[in-house]
Amino acid sequence: MGKFLKKFLLFLGSTCTISSVINVASCSYSQNPKTIEVKYNNSIDSPTIVGYIEQDETIDDKTFTAVVTPSSAPNDVTFTIEEGTDPRIKIGGTNNNQLVWGKFSNPDDITFNVIATSNVDHAIFGEIKVTLSIKRPNPTSIELKYSGESTNLVATIKDTTKSTGKIYSEVSPSYAHPEVTYQIKNNDSSVDISLDSDGYITWPQFQTPTNQDIHFDVVGTAVYGGVTDTKPFTLKAIYAKTTSVELSYSSQDTNLTGYISEEGSTGTDKLSAVVHPDNADQSITYEINIPDEYKNNVTIDSNGIIKWTAIDTTIDSIPFSVVAKSTADPTKLVILWILIWWLLEEIQQVLELIIQKVLIYKLQF
């Protein structure tokens, strides 16, 4: 009777386990599977799963499921990935039906099959084509930076120039899209301030110092994600720093001649100075270094004209120096030494009398 029942159940496509010890039969009434259909998140469409570079092991939040036919067949399956797939891609998760991948260093698209194999009949399986698209994440924040020591910029008069430091940015996370575009905004001047392709701030030529500082912002915007950051700058226009002053005198001879009891000046002869570089402040001041006893006798005006007053008590030369100083940078100066010879009229007259007597004496003999 027991053998007949077992054969009958097998005929119906059922399976039974009979324990001869306790003489109890345990039966399940299921057919073997014929087909398996694999779904991802309840869809049979080939999915594209997005991952990001430089992330450690990541588990997809959706699942793979298998639909076995006939419905009465066992639906126990094992999910695997076809051979030859990147070893960083696996099947895992709590129920071993989620996609798991490791760290990728570059964007890439990897296409492979996820296979569901019947645990009852390993010859029966189904598969679904999956694309894992590894991308850079969008930035969550960016930080603008400037490689110069200060964001207080200086424009040199009469010189088209640009800042010595450059604008750059750091995005977070560090493995996100690094592309950032920059704009000049909130410029409180009509001066055209811009950024060149290398990240340097550029401005046009100024002719005179600006009366007030020019304030503006550099705004950086992430190309992907649109997050922004702003860095304020101040620009002022000044003369270039003086490097030297060149002093010259319009006459080839710097030994000036004055006469006793004469007040005079060099007339059209004059001192002049050139400040280097030519876009520095050209204004200068003149000074005379002269022995104390003659301080009130020789002077120089703002135009570089040397003047002297009458002197009645000496025939000595008076050495003195003229100093030209840059008004913008007084440490840059040059010195020109000049001698003035004062001729005593009385000695001149004595010499003339001596010469006359000598001539008369010669005529007599």
Side-chain angles (χ1 to χ4, degrees), residues 281-297:
D281 190 338
Q282 297 293 311
S283 58
I284 57 169
T285 57
Y286 294 103
E287 297 177 4
I288 286 184
N289 292 330
I290 195 168
D292 288 343
E293 60 266 33
Y294 302 116
K295 276 189 176 297
N296 297 325
N297 296 104

Side-chain angles (χ1 to χ4, degrees), residues 83-95:
E83 294 183 0
T85 302
D86 192 303
R88 289 169 292 185
I89 305 173
K90 307 177 181 67
I91 290 291
T94 304
N95 297 314

Side-chain angles (χ1 to χ4, degrees), residues 127-308:
E127 61 185 43
I128 187 171
K129 187 176 293 294
V130 176
T131 299
L132 178 60
S133 182
I134 303 297
K135 299 180 178 181
R136 292 186 183 274
N138 291 339
T140 55
S141 66
I142 63 172
E143 181 182 3
L144 285 188
K145 295 190 174 182
Y146 179 65
S147 63
E149 294 181 356
S150 173
T151 55
N152 292 322
L153 310 178
V154 175
T156 305
I157 296 300
K158 298 182 181 179
D159 187 26
T160 301
T161 185
K162 62 183 178 182
S163 60
T164 56
K166 62 185 297 184
I167 287 287
Y168 65 101
S169 58
E170 291 185 2
V171 303
S172 296
S174 60
Y175 48 86
H177 289 280
E179 299 89 346
V180 177
T181 59
Y182 303 99
Q183 287 181 300
I184 301 293
K185 290 188 176 180
N186 304 320
N187 184 2
D188 63 7
S189 169
S190 59
V191 176
D192 183 19
I193 301 169
S194 59
L195 273 168
D196 67 13
S197 58
D198 294 322
Y200 291 98
I201 300 171
T202 61
W203 51 80
Q205 185 181 83
F206 289 86
Q207 299 297 324
T208 58
T210 52
N211 295 326
Q212 61 183 9
D213 295 342
I214 299 171
H215 300 281
F216 61 92
D217 294 329
V218 174
V219 180
T221 303
V223 174
Y224 296 92
V227 293
T228 63
D229 189 29
T230 300
K231 200 166 190 66
F233 284 83
T234 299
L235 175 65
K236 62 174 59 180
I238 63 171
Y239 284 108
K241 189 175 181 180
T242 303
T243 57
S244 64
V245 179
E246 180 183 355
L247 183 60
S248 60
Y249 182 59
S250 58
S251 174
Q252 293 182 351
D253 188 3
T254 57
N255 291 322
L256 309 180
T257 302
Y259 296 96
I260 294 297
S261 300
E262 179 193 45
E263 292 186 4
S265 70
T266 61
T268 57
D269 295 334
K270 61 181 291 187
L271 291 167
S272 60
V274 177
V275 178
H276 299 284
D278 59 4
N279 57 345
D281 190 338
Q282 297 293 311
S283 58
I284 57 169
T285 57
Y286 294 103
E287 297 177 4
I288 286 184
N289 292 330
I290 195 168
D292 288 343
E293 60 266 33
Y294 302 116
K295 276 189 176 297
N296 297 325
N297 296 104
V298 182
T299 59
I300 186 170
D301 66 16
S302 59
N303 295 319
I305 304 296
I306 299 172
K307 298 180 179 181
W308 60 80

Side-chain angles (χ1 to χ4, degrees), residues 16 29 50 59 119 121 151 223 262 271 281 305 334:
C16 297
Y29 301 90
V50 177
I59 297 179
N119 292 333
D121 185 352
T151 55
V223 174
E262 179 193 45
L271 291 167
D281 190 338
I305 304 296
V334 292

